[in-house]
């Protein structure tokens, strides 16, 4: 059987995503059923860029499934510092592990790894490009909280230019019915043209605006993001833009009582701590959903027979 990788959310059909989310629900409800599902399997987490959640939630997912984990948390402790290419690293890791998770600052790095690896590769973020497992997390969170991935308005707010989680999420949501997009950003951090071109081609409605206050009453989901400091060419621009949006309790008064606030995390200043106790704040729940969905993903890519569990 041909190996499968996850490089962008579109690598899975909508039906496959539904199955994955159903599996994640079952894992949430019956974790004990899956506790030995990956016994004897090893996952390598190869992180060339910083991470807390993405690396540790993949590792937690594999440990919850009874598998083992190994890896490195930064490029400076790997042979990349000696000049090894991603292609060679991928070939080497294929001799050690059954599945590989890679995060890299260069767009397309995960695709190169997938090409050279003989094992399934999960893209855990490639530069400003894609972050599909965060998207699986976001979709499962929205599906669980709202009961469906159709018929809602989502406001994406903050760094829409460099935020890879935003790019992946938009890519995935266009396949659902009647999802309206509102892009809220300073003009320097607008969503890239290739995304608005894609929305125009597909006839999917969206609007762009600068002030969160102007649109917050319309939203069912507010997806906040951090200004991506590491992708700026100069510090001054970052400093000028970093506190452009600060969501606080006062601003939330104008929002719907059943709007949910998501954030891929880490947050810096864009959500004040006084929002954390609001019942609409879903960003820590989202982290937990990220573990269930990554468990479901590992089972799928390793072709584990879940009927036999
Ligand atoms: C995101 C990322 O790495 O793109 N973090 C994450 O994986 N949850 C978002 C960010 O760093 O701002």
């Amino acid at each position: 059987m041909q190996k499968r990788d996850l490089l962008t959310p579109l690598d899975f059909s909508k039906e496959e995503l539904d199955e994955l989310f159903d599996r994640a629900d079952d894992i949430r409800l019956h974790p004990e059923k899956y506790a030995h599902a990956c016994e004897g399997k090893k996952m390598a987490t190869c992180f060339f860029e910083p991470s807390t959640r993405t690396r540790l939630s993949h590792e937690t997912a594999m440990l919850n499934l009874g598998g083992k984990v190994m890896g490195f948390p930064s490029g400076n402790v790997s042979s990349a510092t000696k000049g090894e290419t991603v292609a060679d690293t991928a070939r080497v890791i294929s001799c050690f592990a059954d599945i590989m998770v890679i995060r890299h600052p260069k767009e397309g790095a995960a695709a190169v790894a997938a090409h050279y690896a003989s094992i399934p590769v999960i893209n855990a973020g490639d530069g400003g490009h894609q972050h599909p497992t965060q998207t699986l997390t976001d979709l499962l969170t929205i599906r669980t909280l709202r009961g469906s991935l159709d018929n809602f308005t989502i406001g994406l707010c903050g760094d829409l230019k460099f935020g890879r989680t935003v790019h992946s999420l938009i890519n995935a949501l266009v396949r659902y019915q009647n999802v309206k997009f509102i892009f809220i950003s300073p003009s320097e951090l607008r969503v890239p043209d290739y995304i608005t071109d894609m929305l125009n081609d597909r006839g999917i409605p969206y609007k762009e605006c600068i002030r969160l206050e102007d649109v917050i009453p319309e939203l069912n989901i507010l997806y906040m993001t951090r200004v991506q400091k590491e992708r700026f060419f100069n510090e001054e621009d970052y400093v000028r833009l970093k506190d452009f949006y600060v969501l606080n309790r006062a601003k939330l008064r104008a929002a719907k009582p059943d709007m949910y606030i998501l954030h891929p995390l880490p947050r810096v200043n864009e959500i004040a701590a006084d929002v954390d106790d609001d019942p609409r704040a879903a960003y820590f729940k989202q982290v937990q959903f990220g573990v269930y969905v990554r468990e479901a993903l590992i089972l799928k890519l390793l072709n584990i027979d879940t009927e036999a569990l």
Side-chain angles (χ1 to χ4, degrees):
M1 191 192 283
Q2 170 102 22
K3 74 156 175 134
R4 299 281 303 269
D5 306 292
L6 179 67
L7 303 179
T8 93
L10 301 181
D11 288 345
F12 292 155
S13 67
K14 253 183 95 178
E15 292 68 32
E16 283 182 301
L17 286 184
D18 281 343
E19 278 168 27
L20 197 80
F21 299 144
D22 290 344
R23 179 68 55 202
D25 283 345
D26 198 52
I27 291 168
R28 171 164 59 89
L29 298 171
H30 308 286
E32 66 297 335
K33 207 170 115 186
Y34 296 88
H36 303 285
C38 285
E39 238 157 43
K41 302 282 186 197
K42 285 175 276 180
M43 182 174 76
T45 50
C46 306
F47 277 61
F48 296 87
E49 259 197 346
S51 167
T52 301
R53 261 151 305 277
T54 306
R55 185 169 64 86
L56 295 181
S57 67
H58 277 98
E59 295 191 358
T60 305
M62 190 52 156
L63 293 172
N64 287 350
L65 296 169
K68 295 201 167 73
V69 298
M70 60 177 129
F72 49 85
S74 107
N76 349 331
V77 296
S78 80
S79 283
T81 50
K82 301 181 189 169
E84 186 169 59
T85 62
V86 168
D88 283 0
T89 303
R91 284 192 271 226
V92 169
I93 299 292
S94 301
C95 302
F96 304 148
D98 300 288
I99 186 164
M100 171 178 177
V101 184
I102 179 170
R103 168 171 285 188
H104 199 281
K106 287 218 176 89
E107 285 79 7
V112 172
H115 182 77
Y116 288 96
S118 57
I119 56 176
V121 170
I122 297 175
N123 179 8
D126 60 329
H129 185 219
Q130 295 279 332
H131 192 344
T133 67
Q134 182 64 46
T135 299
L136 299 182
T137 303
D138 301 339
L139 295 179
L140 178 65
T141 307
I142 297 171
R143 185 178 106 140
T144 310
L145 297 176
R146 289 188 49 78
S148 155
L149 286 165
D150 298 316
N151 305 318
F152 65 94
T153 299
I154 181 167
L156 297 121
C157 177
D159 187 346
L160 309 187
K161 178 177 180 188
F162 296 116
R164 57 193 171 194
T165 67
V166 167
H167 306 157
S168 284
L169 184 57
I170 298 169
N171 244 225
L173 280 175
V174 295
R175 296 197 289 187
Y176 295 90
Q177 296 297 309
N178 193 26
V179 177
K180 295 198 182 80
F181 295 93
I182 303 187
F183 301 134
I184 309 147
S185 74
S187 52
E188 292 95 324
L189 298 179
R190 279 185 58 232
V191 74
D193 288 345
Y194 78 88
I195 292 189
T196 45
D197 289 349
M198 180 270 291
L199 294 171
N200 289 330
D201 287 348
R202 288 170 160 254
I204 293 172
Y206 67 89
K207 73 181 175 202
E208 296 188 83
C209 71
I210 295 179
R211 279 168 43 92
L212 174 59
E213 291 83 338
D214 293 344
V215 291
I216 202 169
E218 298 173 43
L219 307 179
N220 304 110
I221 300 284
L222 171 57
Y223 193 91
M224 294 297 293
T225 63
R226 166 182 78 90
V227 176
Q228 306 280 299
K229 181 178 183 189
E230 63 278 33
R231 316 243 182 260
F232 276 71
F233 291 112
N234 78 65
E235 173 86 13
E236 259 167 58
D237 287 346
Y238 170 70
V239 170
R240 189 166 43 81
L241 294 168
K242 73 182 171 64
D243 295 326
F244 204 93
Y245 299 105
V246 180
L247 179 66
N248 56 26
R249 220 169 239 270
K251 285 187 195 148
L252 265 181
R253 279 199 208 107
K256 291 188 200 299
D258 61 351
M259 181 192 80
Y260 289 105
I261 307 155
L262 272 61
H263 190 310
L265 302 178
R267 76 168 142 187
V268 186
N269 286 327
E270 58 280 357
I271 303 182
D274 68 2
V275 174
D276 296 354
D277 297 332
D278 190 290
R280 292 167 286 192
Y283 31 93
F284 292 115
K285 278 189 207 139
Q286 201 179 341
V287 177
Q288 186 62 59
F289 285 119
V291 176
Y292 305 133
V293 86
R294 288 180 175 109
E295 286 186 47
L297 174 65
I298 293 167
L299 292 172
K300 179 173 173 61
L301 294 181
L302 286 177
N303 284 315
I304 305 288
D305 179 6
T306 41
E307 297 312 310
L309 297 175

